Amino acid sequence: MKVTLSVIKADIGGYVGHSETHPDLIARGNENLAIAKKNGLLIDYHVTKCGDDLQLIMTHTRGEDDEKIHKLAWDTFTDCTEIAKRLKLHGAGQDMLSDAFSGNVRGMGPGVAEMEFEERGAETIIVFMADKTSSGAWNMPLYKMFADPFNTIGLVIAENMHQGFAFEVHDIKEHKKITFNAPEEIYDMLVFIGAASRFMVKSVYHRGTGDIAATSSTQRLALIAGRYVGKDDPVCIVRSQGEFPAVGEILEPFTSPILVEGWMRGSHMGPLMPVSVPDSTPSRFDGPPRVVAAGFQLANGRLVGPRDLFADKAFNLARHQANEMADMMRRHGPFEPHRLPLEEMEYTTMPQVMKRLQGRFIPLD
């Protein structure tokens, strides 16, 4: 059975500040998607949150970029924005960068990750959701999952994975894409995906079958809006087991926290902390950045789950390390490497400051 899994998210109002999603927004999301399921538009759905982002996880048979599915998400976010305004939530509707829906939500603010595939006999799916970080946050974890044998032993000992995976990488500033084959082109690929603010892993494919293994949202809100309107807070879908990495191999990259863009005003580097859904409430300096993982089995499109995978005590050390890394970075205050380099702050107030002081710069003797 061919099924489409769509994960569409938006920050439409924070409770308190940027730290949490108000229960009324989740309730309205559930109401709207329940009607869509009853009417046959959706097979199934799950509404959740990561920090102040409302997350809509939906299954259907309409394929990617379907207008009705995207309109459902847009209308749900619009309804929730009205609730957010009524409750005077912080930044109500901040991800809604357009006044009217125009076919799909890509380029309109919400983050989108979708994949269509033939459902296997046992279909294991993990949906990652992050808050207070940018879309490039998935680059290193996806590389480790699908190209690093020190993380994924299946690349070495599993015959159905030994051929490797293909990585579709997007240049989000030049609006171009390129595909790299791992393991042969790993060194070339790392030149680009190591620059995660510009080059982002969009999708991963099994090289033997061509089946999609993972896909992520690569929307950059600042590039869409032309100004700083909040960090991207990306989502990522990863298929697991069989010809893909096992659940443990997919989760393993998050046992070692990495530094990602985001945190306070989207202008700092901070550790990506794996947490349970209830603990995805970034409030220390609006952070540190958080990531949650919802695990499902699919049964004819029905979402069996979720399991809150980062609730496992095995990630306690990663959370402790992330807090220590947060302490270290915070000591730098407004200095790099805690604050992002100037070229990555072009959508903050920095250009206005430079313009105002331009006449005071004089040539060196």
Side-chain angles (χ1 to χ4, degrees):
M1 173 185 174
K2 246 188 179 179
V3 65
T4 305
L5 176 59
S6 299
V7 181
I8 307 181
K9 54 71 55 177
D11 179 348
I12 44 179
Y15 168 64
V16 167
H18 289 290
S19 63
E20 176 65 292
T21 300
H22 194 279
D24 287 1
L25 304 187
I26 296 177
R28 175 54 64 88
N30 274 305
E31 290 172 10
N32 287 14
L33 269 56
I35 293 171
K37 180 179 178 179
K38 183 178 180 180
N39 292 338
L41 181 60
L42 301 179
I43 300 174
D44 206 357
Y45 67 91
H46 177 70
V47 179
T48 187
K49 59 95 178 183
C50 181
D52 58 357
D53 296 303
L54 183 64
Q55 311 278 348
L56 309 180
I57 302 171
M58 302 170 285
T59 59
H60 52 94
T61 57
R62 303 183 62 87
E64 299 175 25
D65 287 323
D66 180 74
E67 182 172 354
K68 289 187 176 181
I69 298 298
H70 283 229
K71 182 69 159 54
L72 168 64
W74 181 263
D75 289 346
T76 299
F77 295 145
T78 299
D79 289 349
C80 288
T81 295
E82 292 306 312
I83 296 174
K85 289 178 178 178
R86 188 167 66 246
L87 295 174
K88 295 191 176 181
L89 300 184
H90 184 72
Q94 76 168 37
D95 280 5
M96 309 294 279
L97 303 183
S98 177
D99 294 330
F101 180 76
S102 60
N104 65 60
V105 299
R106 295 184 190 274
M108 299 179 70
V112 185
E114 295 181 294
M115 61 165 66
E116 182 182 34
F117 52 88
E118 193 76 33
E119 191 176 295
R120 298 171 291 169
E123 188 64 64
T124 303
I125 296 284
I126 300 175
V127 177
F128 292 101
M129 298 155 277
D131 189 28
K132 304 300 181 287
T133 185
S134 70
S135 301
W138 306 128
N139 281 15
M140 187 185 291
L142 287 172
Y143 170 78
K144 287 186 173 183
M145 292 173 204
F146 293 100
D148 183 1
F150 282 84
N151 179 90
T152 302
I153 190 59
L155 295 167
V156 176
I157 65 176
E159 185 178 357
N160 60 0
M161 291 174 57
H162 198 73
Q163 190 172 347
F165 292 85
F167 290 71
E168 180 183 312
V169 177
H170 286 197
D171 178 344
I172 52 91
K173 290 191 176 179
E174 294 292 332
H175 303 289
K176 297 178 180 179
K177 65 180 179 179
I178 184 173
T179 298
F180 294 98
N181 287 326
E184 306 97 295
E185 297 181 304
I186 280 177
Y187 294 164
D188 291 341
M189 179 171 69
L190 287 172
V191 170
F192 296 96
I193 68 173
S197 63
R198 174 171 175 175
F199 296 94
M200 302 175 185
V201 177
K202 174 60 179 176
S203 299
V204 181
Y205 298 89
H206 190 281
R207 289 180 60 190
T209 64
D211 290 342
I212 190 164
T215 193
S216 71
S217 60
T218 55
Q219 293 81 11
R220 289 299 301 267
L221 284 174
L223 293 179
I224 296 170
R227 65 188 190 281
Y228 178 70
V229 290
K231 218 54 186 170
D232 311 304
D233 304 336
V235 291
C236 182
I237 306 169
V238 182
R239 298 173 74 189
S240 180
Q241 306 295 151
E243 63 185 24
F244 306 120
V247 169
E249 293 169 326
I250 291 170
L251 299 179
E252 182 68 12
F254 299 94
T255 61
S256 300
I258 60 173
L259 293 173
V260 296
E261 291 183 2
W263 215 345
M264 174 62 72
R265 304 184 192 279
S267 301
H268 296 78
M269 297 293 291
L272 186 60
M273 180 186 290
V275 296
S276 66
V277 173
D279 286 338
S280 63
T281 54
S283 53
R284 180 194 172 178
F285 198 61
D286 276 0
R290 308 293 166 98
V291 58
V292 301
F296 298 92
Q297 294 294 137
L298 288 189
N300 298 316
R302 186 168 63 89
L303 291 163
V304 183
R307 275 207 60 221
D308 192 350
L309 295 170
F310 286 149
D312 187 350
K313 292 180 176 62
F315 292 94
N316 283 351
L317 180 58
R319 291 187 270 271
H320 177 74
Q321 290 174 339
N323 276 317
E324 289 189 326
M325 293 166 68
D327 286 341
M328 179 188 69
M329 298 303 285
R330 285 295 301 128
R331 291 186 195 114
H332 293 80
F335 290 85
E336 297 178 20
H338 182 34
R339 196 191 76 187
L340 296 182
L342 285 180
E343 60 268 22
E344 295 305 323
M345 297 183 68
E346 57 186 316
Y347 294 100
T348 67
T349 59
M350 194 60 63
Q352 291 90 326
V353 173
M354 292 294 290
K355 184 176 180 179
R356 178 165 51 84
L357 299 178
Q358 188 174 6
R360 294 173 57 180
F361 282 90
I362 59 176
L364 296 172
D365 292 335

